[in-house]
Amino acid sequence: MKALVLSGGSGTRLRPITHTSPKQLVPVANKPVLYYVLEDIARAGITDVGIVVGETAYEIQQAVGDGGKFGLDVTYLPQEAPLGLAHAVLIARDYLGDDDFVMYLGDNFVLGGISGLVEEFRAQRPDAHLLLTRVADPRGFGVAEIGPDGRITGLEEKPQQPKSDMALVGIYLFTPVVHEAVRAVTPSWRGELEITHAIQWLIDHPYDVRFSTISGYWKDTGNPQDMLEVNRSVLEGLEPRIEGEVDDASEIVGRVRIDAGARVRGSRIVGPAVIGSGTVITGSYVGPYTSIAENCRIEASEIEFSIVLRDSRLSWIRRVQRSLIGRNVRVTPAPRVPAGTCLILGDDSKVEIPL
């Protein structure tokens, strides 16, 4: 069995962070989301992985390499443009051959992994097996309609009037018959080859399409709010470890990981929180559910429920919260006189300024 990991796409909902970094490499608890996906695949006993890449191919390849550090053998599959999930299967045809495979979206996070799902699929081997979960607003997802017999009767992609609240999670298991399905469908109104259309083709012909309802935690980390929620969820299970330097004037409370090379001086860290190597925190407060990456500087500032990427600095800033701060960012106080706000922002930024 092989795995097909989708790591293309432009990540527009995470801009401006994704103007300079692929969305799959934005870190959660100081580790890229894509790493969690690859580790999950390895734990399920799958070793051959094809990664579909687009315009951010170089960054993905630099981060993952040949897959050896995950115990995987990785092959990169270029996709000329993000033309849909079924298109990704189409271009991966030669790589996948006649093997069964799991397709895993590289920006999805599933707490608890897919090992049980893969074992069930291998034992029963339906033509397709989907993961579903109930969501409050299904309009942004592929939506499954379940018949009275408990089987999927229909699928819709991002419907304006959903027929159910059962959304497709970004993990799918297929036998080779799906290759016939993706060749049979045509582009949707979005100009994409939709995997929901291909699965509908399987249902209509009829092939054996089954599903499981996910019971654990799942998030599509496509926007800052969901990224922060995934960070919170991962930090809940953090194993405390102090390898860096903490002076006697500092206080560490709860589950905190301070990596080797980090220094904490005259500060209070309340976990769960993680501090990356080379980061220096001085005279500051770092609150729960905060991940600060490597080589950052936090000086006379307060921050909680946030993600700070590498090489960034906060100096003399009162409480920052619910924030996603990119790489090499400088956050400093503005002069009080003359009154006013000076902003230098990337495309699609969102800023909240107190009145």
Side-chain angles (χ1 to χ4, degrees):
M1 190 172 188
K2 292 178 179 174
L4 186 66
V5 176
L6 276 57
S7 294
S10 54
T12 54
R13 293 179 294 161
L14 273 172
R15 287 177 180 170
I17 299 294
T18 50
H19 279 307
T20 53
S21 179
K23 61 181 178 178
Q24 297 85 4
L25 297 184
V26 176
V28 168
N30 286 1
K31 184 166 67 176
V33 171
L34 181 58
Y35 284 15
Y36 292 96
V37 171
L38 296 176
E39 290 168 355
D40 197 3
I41 289 168
R43 282 193 297 269
I46 300 170
T47 56
D48 294 325
V49 179
I51 300 182
V52 177
V53 292
E55 59 184 15
T56 60
Y58 176 78
E59 292 91 336
I60 298 292
Q61 291 175 19
Q62 287 295 108
V64 175
D66 63 2
K69 61 186 174 184
F70 305 98
L72 303 173
D73 183 7
V74 167
T75 299
Y76 294 96
L77 307 170
Q79 186 181 31
E80 60 189 45
L83 298 175
L85 304 189
H87 182 263
V89 176
L90 196 66
I91 66 168
R93 178 68 178 94
D94 290 342
Y95 171 76
L96 294 169
D98 292 327
D99 292 318
D100 297 346
F101 68 97
V102 56
M103 183 168 74
Y104 204 137
L105 273 59
D107 60 353
N108 273 228
F109 182 89
V110 178
L111 193 64
I114 62 168
S115 296
L117 181 68
V118 169
E119 289 176 8
E120 180 183 350
F121 182 81
R122 282 172 163 156
Q124 300 180 5
R125 206 165 177 266
D127 297 299
H129 194 114
L130 317 179
L131 270 183
L132 304 180
T133 190
R134 295 189 184 278
V135 295
D137 185 359
R139 291 176 296 176
F141 301 90
V143 176
E145 185 178 4
I146 312 299
D149 60 354
R151 300 181 66 86
I152 297 176
T153 59
L155 295 167
E156 294 181 283
E157 185 65 33
K158 296 180 174 62
Q160 287 302 305
Q161 296 182 333
K163 295 179 181 178
S164 83
D165 61 354
M166 300 297 290
L168 286 164
V169 174
I171 299 170
Y172 312 78
L173 295 103
F174 295 113
T175 64
V177 73
V178 73
H179 297 299
E180 185 178 359
V182 298
R183 289 195 303 269
V185 299
T186 56
S188 67
W189 61 270
R190 302 194 303 164
E192 298 185 5
L193 292 178
E194 310 285 2
I195 197 65
T196 47
H197 292 179
I199 298 169
Q200 185 68 58
W201 187 93
L202 292 175
I203 294 169
D204 292 341
H205 273 76
Y207 286 95
D208 186 6
V209 177
R210 304 182 190 180
F211 72 94
S212 299
T213 302
I214 193 166
S215 56
Y217 182 87
W218 164 79
K219 277 289 184 183
D220 169 0
T221 59
N223 62 60
Q225 292 74 27
D226 285 341
M227 186 68 70
L228 291 171
E229 280 298 319
V230 170
N231 189 64
R232 179 197 61 76
S233 179
V234 173
L235 289 177
E236 287 281 10
L238 183 73
E239 292 293 330
R241 187 176 71 243
I242 308 297
E243 296 180 341
E245 300 176 13
V246 179
D247 69 6
D248 292 339
S250 297
E251 182 183 13
I252 308 299
V253 180
R255 297 189 306 279
V256 176
R257 192 184 80 205
I258 300 177
D259 292 339
R263 289 175 288 170
V264 179
R265 301 168 174 168
S267 298
R268 189 169 192 257
I269 315 293
V270 179
V274 57
I275 311 299
S277 176
T279 286
V280 178
I281 299 176
T282 306
S284 296
Y285 166 77
V286 176
Y289 307 120
T290 302
S291 297
I292 299 177
E294 64 272 19
N295 300 319
C296 293
R297 297 291 183 271
I298 311 294
E299 306 166 304
S301 297
E302 300 178 357
I303 184 169
E304 65 182 13
F305 194 29
S306 295
I307 298 174
V308 182
L309 276 59
R310 62 177 173 82
D311 301 316
S312 291
R313 173 172 292 191
L314 277 71
S315 301
W316 298 92
I317 297 297
R318 63 182 182 179
R319 190 69 57 97
V320 172
Q321 57 189 7
R322 298 182 295 105
S323 297
L324 177 56
I325 297 173
R327 297 175 295 182
N328 199 35
V329 169
R330 298 294 182 267
V331 182
T332 58
R336 293 186 177 275
V337 179
T341 301
C342 177
L343 301 174
I344 301 174
L345 303 172
D347 296 348
D348 302 308
S349 294
K350 181 179 290 186
V351 177
E352 295 179 2
I353 299 176
L355 297 177

